[in-house]
């Protein structure tokens, strides 16, 4: 649970900092386009936008460190970019296999870390499959959501290779699967709501 709360805290920091900028930008966009919108639609777009900010903060924002040097009092800001091939996996299900059947003595509680990575890779992308069809009805098809999930996660893995994070074909598979799960949850939810409204 400690790792999950750490990720959530990191995401919330980015979301809180960028929330005022989103609200101002969205207000200007709606006024400039003279769009007639509803509170429900703005709520969905807002939640989805904040989700995208949180997702980006944990996937494509490079590793960085900032602070003040204690000896001199000077501020510093360092960003780390690497393209180390050791963080690249192009063999499908290789990482998933390692999570289930191998151990890593360099990582404390390897079983918990493995489970967290598997679950996070799936469910972190579920909101993508849930919100996109709700906001943009033209995307409300299994094929479009599958292509969207695959495209977004391939883009993220491509960026990650150049910013010092691992790039893994298994992440593409799990993330795309998570997007599809989000879409299936939406379909089930809509069917339940539809039955209740009859």
């Amino acid at each position: 649970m400690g790792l999950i709360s750490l990720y959530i805290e990191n995401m919330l920091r980015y979301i809180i900092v960028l929330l005022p900028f989103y609200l101002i930008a969205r207000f200007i966009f709606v006024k400039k386009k003279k769009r007639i919108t509803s509170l429900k639609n703005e709520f969905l777009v807002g939640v989805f936008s904040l989700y995208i900010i949180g997702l980006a903060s944990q996937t494509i924002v490079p590793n960085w460190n900032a602070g003040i040097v204690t000896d001199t009092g000077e501020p510093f800001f360092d960003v780390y970019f690497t393209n180390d091939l050791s963080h690249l996996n192009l063999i499908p299900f290789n990482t998933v296999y390692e999570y289930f059947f191998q151990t890593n003595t360099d990582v404390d509680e390897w079983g918990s870390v493995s489970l967290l990575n598997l679950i996070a890779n799936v469910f972190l992308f579920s909101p993508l499959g849930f919100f996109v069809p709700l906001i943009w009805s033209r995307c409300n098809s299994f094929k479009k959501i599958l292509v969207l999930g695959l495209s977004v996660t391939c883009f993220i893995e491509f960026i990650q290779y150049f910013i010092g994070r691992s790039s893994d074909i298994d992440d593409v598979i799990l993330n795309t699967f998570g997007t599809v799960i989000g879409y299936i949850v939406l379909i089930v939810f809509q069917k339940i709501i539809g039955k209740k409204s009859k």
Side-chain angles (χ1 to χ4, degrees):
M1 289 302 289
L3 279 173
I4 293 173
S5 60
L6 180 65
Y7 280 116
I8 291 171
E9 282 176 30
N10 287 337
M11 291 173 79
L12 284 175
R13 285 188 192 121
Y14 283 92
I15 289 169
I16 289 167
V17 168
L18 293 174
L19 178 59
F21 296 100
Y22 164 76
L23 292 172
I24 292 166
R26 183 66 185 171
F27 179 79
I28 292 169
F29 175 78
V30 169
K31 286 290 182 186
K32 192 172 184 180
K33 296 286 183 179
K34 297 179 181 175
R35 287 193 168 185
I36 298 171
T37 185
S38 67
L39 188 60
K40 175 188 168 189
N41 187 59
E42 286 307 310
F43 176 77
L44 288 173
V45 171
V47 170
F48 180 69
S49 299
L50 296 177
Y51 157 74
I52 292 297
I53 290 168
L55 179 66
S57 74
Q58 300 307 299
T59 56
I60 60 173
V61 173
N63 294 321
W64 60 275
N65 190 18
I68 297 174
V69 179
T70 52
D71 296 342
T72 62
E74 294 179 11
F76 69 90
F77 182 77
D78 296 321
V79 182
Y80 309 104
F81 294 94
T82 64
N83 58 350
D84 184 2
L85 280 173
S86 67
H87 296 293
L88 178 66
N89 171 43
L90 298 175
I91 303 167
F93 301 107
N94 184 55
T95 303
V96 172
Y97 177 84
E98 288 177 0
Y99 284 153
F100 279 116
F101 302 109
Q102 294 183 357
T103 58
N104 187 335
T105 54
D106 296 328
V107 178
D108 294 335
E109 299 179 11
W110 174 248
S112 299
V113 172
S114 299
L115 184 62
L116 173 66
N117 281 330
L118 288 169
I119 292 171
N121 271 309
V122 172
F123 290 107
L124 189 60
F125 283 77
S126 294
L128 191 64
F130 186 89
F131 281 104
V132 167
L134 272 178
I135 299 168
W136 297 283
S137 58
R138 66 182 177 272
C139 295
N140 195 354
S141 80
F142 181 83
K143 183 179 177 182
K144 287 181 180 179
I145 291 302
L146 182 65
V147 170
L148 173 71
L150 185 62
S151 302
V152 169
T153 191
C154 282
F155 172 76
I156 287 171
E157 293 302 312
F158 177 77
I159 296 294
Q160 284 182 337
Y161 174 72
F162 294 100
I163 62 170
R165 295 176 183 243
S166 64
S167 295
D168 197 324
I169 189 68
D170 287 359
D171 287 353
V172 172
I173 295 166
L174 294 170
N175 297 163
T176 304
F177 181 62
T179 305
V180 170
I181 287 176
Y183 182 63
I184 291 168
V185 168
L186 173 64
I187 291 170
V188 171
F189 177 74
Q190 288 174 330
K191 285 187 177 178
I192 291 169
I193 294 296
K195 283 180 182 177
K196 285 184 178 179
S197 63
K198 287 180 181 178

